[in-house]
Amino acid sequence: MKAKVHVTLKSGVLDPQGKAVGHALESLGFSGVNDVRQGKYIELDLNETDADKARAAVEDMCRQLLANTVIENYSVEIAEG
Amino acid sequence: MKAKVHVTLKSGVLDPQGKAVGHALESLGFSGVNDVRQGKYIELDLNETDADKARAAVEDMCRQLLANTVIENYSVEIAEG
């Protein structure tokens, strides 16, 4: 079973990496970019075959390791296969 | 208009960051994790109001800056609002 995790900065938290990407895009000639926010995308391949248990395990992983819940949000998507 | 970009390593390209996350999960007691791959997730806020033009611009940004197309794949999703 595959799990897809998005970890994004909470709104209001400064994102210097995103700002740097925004400035780089501007200097490459891309206008009309108001804001850039950069997050992490993690794909996990799990042995677990029960979708609910897989989701619970991955949410646990997010809280313990993958996301810093003080400044980051996470979302978990479980996919078959 | 918002654009969501996923940048992931091509299959076959080694992912030491993903491997490190996998080992860290194991040492935290999470068993049954076969593989971890880590990518980037970028949210862009664009002035463009035409979805097709927005997609074309963002794909251009991916090729020029956001992704290293030698070792990375990218996918673009355009969302209203």
Side-chain angles (χ1 to χ4, degrees):
Chain A
M1 193 150 257
K2 304 249 185 206
K4 296 174 183 186
V5 177
H6 287 90
V7 178
T8 49
L9 283 169
K10 290 186 177 173
S11 60
V13 177
L14 288 177
D15 180 3
Q17 198 178 7
K19 280 272 174 294
V21 170
H23 288 306
L25 287 172
E26 207 177 294
S27 64
L28 281 171
F30 292 105
S31 57
V33 179
N34 296 323
D35 194 30
V36 182
R37 303 281 287 175
Q38 181 156 350
K40 281 179 283 185
Y41 172 61
I42 302 159
E43 287 177 338
L44 298 143
D45 183 17
L46 305 168
N47 278 340
E48 184 61 63
T49 50
D50 182 275
D52 291 341
K53 280 186 197 162
R55 176 179 296 276
V58 173
E59 287 184 350
D60 231 26
M61 292 174 199
C62 288
R63 280 188 294 269
Q64 283 189 49
L65 182 77
L66 304 177
N68 175 355
T69 53
V70 177
I71 55 165
E72 290 173 327
N73 291 323
Y74 60 84
S75 71
V76 176
E77 230 175 284
I78 301 289
E80 294 300 317
Chain B
M1 191 149 263
K2 303 250 185 207
K4 296 173 183 185
V5 177
H6 287 90
V7 178
T8 50
L9 282 170
K10 292 187 177 173
S11 60
V13 178
L14 288 177
D15 181 3
Q17 198 178 6
K19 280 273 175 293
V21 171
H23 288 305
L25 287 172
E26 207 178 293
S27 65
L28 282 171
F30 292 105
S31 57
V33 179
N34 296 323
D35 194 31
V36 182
R37 304 280 288 177
Q38 181 156 349
K40 284 178 282 184
Y41 172 63
I42 303 159
E43 286 178 340
L44 298 143
D45 182 19
L46 305 168
N47 279 339
E48 184 63 62
T49 51
D50 181 274
D52 291 340
K53 280 186 197 163
R55 176 178 296 274
V58 173
E59 286 184 351
D60 230 26
M61 292 175 199
C62 287
R63 281 188 293 269
Q64 283 189 50
L65 182 77
L66 304 177
N68 175 354
T69 53
V70 177
I71 55 166
E72 291 173 327
N73 291 322
Y74 60 84
S75 71
V76 176
E77 230 175 284
I78 301 289
E80 294 299 318

